[in-house]
Every structure is written in structure tokens, then in C-alpha cells.
Amino acid sequence: MALLELANLTLRSPEGDGPVARILAQMPDPMRPDLPAILFVIVLLVVLYIYLKLVFFKPITQVMDDRERDLSAGGDAKAQAAAQLEARQKDYQGRLKDLRAQAFARRKALADAAGKDKQRMLDEARAKAQAERQAAVESLKAQQAEARQSLLAQVDALSESMAQTLLKQA
């Protein structure tokens, strides 16, 4: 670029004592630019640029494009895997919620059945205790009646024997 500007200044500057003319005058002879040499350098640079672009930079840019494509494909695969993972987690959470609800219902049913069984056993025990109590009360009444009759019989016997003793003494 600097060479183009120097060539442009050289071509535009009038012959005389301008700053460009002084710079050119101070240069040794082989370094003084002339138009064919400048055009040759420009053509050489353009050819080198095109050659390097096709031979060197094209494979590098293709490798970079392939790498970018692979990275974006990996990112897409990662996003897809994350979406599948999230869907599976939601499905798992839903099934876990359903199973918890089923377990709660089963536990409640078992607790109700255990409560009913306990109540039934308590009712049976109460009925059995009531029957035993009733039998014990009846047994006590029978024993009381028997004891009363026995006591009355003993009192009668005792009074009879006392009466006999008193009659014998009198």
C-alpha cells in the first residue's frame, strides 16, 4: 500500500523541488521507483495473493468451516440430548408423582383396613369381656344365693341346736 501511495505521489508530483522529488533524489539509483517496476510489483502481489488464497487460505478456511460445522452439529446434538433428558425427567417426575399417589392410597387403604380390624377385635374383646362379666355376675349371684341358703340353713341349725341346748339346761 505504501508503494502505491509512493507511486501515486511520484506520478502526480510536478517536476521540481517538491518533497517527493527530494526523497527520490536522495535514493540510490536501484531503489528509485519507475512505473514498469511498480506495475510489476503490483501484478506480482496480486498473483501471489490469488495463489495464496487458492492454495493456502482455501484449505485453511475449509478446515475452519468444517470445524465450525462440526461444533454447531455438536451443539445441536447437545441441545437435543438436553431436551430428551428434560423430557425424560418430566416423565420420571410424573410417574414418581403417580406412584407416590398410589402408595399413599395403598397406605391409607391398609391403615383403614388395620383400623377396621382393630375395631373389630376390640368389639369382639368387649363382647367377650361383657359375656365373661355377665357370667361372673350370674355366678356370683348364684353363689350368693347358695351362700344365703347355706347360711340360713346353718343359722337354723345353730338356732335349733341352741334351742335344744337351752331346753336341756332348763
Side-chain angles (χ1 to χ4, degrees):
M1 196 64 162
L3 285 176
L4 286 174
E5 289 178 12
L6 184 61
N8 192 18
L9 287 175
T10 304
L11 293 175
R12 285 189 185 172
S13 66
E15 295 296 325
D17 258 2
V20 176
R22 274 185 278 148
I23 292 173
L24 289 176
Q26 291 175 355
M27 288 183 164
D29 196 29
M31 289 183 67
R32 286 191 189 136
D34 58 344
L35 188 59
I38 292 174
L39 290 177
F40 175 75
V41 170
I42 291 172
V43 169
L44 182 64
L45 286 176
V46 168
V47 169
L48 282 174
Y49 173 75
I50 292 171
Y51 177 76
L52 286 176
K53 183 177 180 183
L54 293 176
V55 173
F56 183 69
F57 294 120
K58 185 176 181 183
I60 289 177
T61 56
Q62 185 168 354
V63 167
M64 290 172 60
D65 289 342
D66 291 345
R67 182 173 179 222
E68 182 68 29
R69 181 178 31 88
D70 292 344
L71 286 175
S72 67
D76 293 343
K78 181 181 175 182
Q80 187 179 15
Q84 287 178 348
L85 178 67
E86 187 175 331
R88 285 182 182 171
Q89 283 181 343
K90 284 183 181 178
D91 182 45
Y92 172 74
Q93 292 294 334
R95 285 193 287 170
L96 185 63
K97 186 178 179 181
D98 291 342
L99 289 174
R100 283 182 180 161
Q102 289 175 0
F104 179 74
R106 177 76 175 154
R107 193 175 332 143
K108 185 177 178 184
L110 288 174
D112 289 345
K116 287 178 183 177
D117 192 37
K118 182 180 176 183
Q119 188 64 36
R120 181 186 52 80
M121 288 174 64
L122 284 173
D123 290 343
E124 287 176 3
R126 280 188 190 129
K128 186 177 178 182
Q130 187 70 19
E132 287 178 4
R133 184 175 155 252
Q134 190 66 27
V137 167
E138 287 177 12
S139 172
L140 282 176
K141 283 183 181 179
Q143 287 177 0
Q144 182 184 14
E146 185 179 311
R148 181 176 283 162
Q149 287 177 358
S150 170
L151 191 57
L152 285 176
Q154 286 177 2
V155 167
D156 282 342
L158 187 60
S159 68
E160 190 66 34
S161 103
M162 280 175 81
Q164 289 289 336
T165 311
L166 282 176
L167 282 176
K168 282 186 188 180
Q169 283 182 3

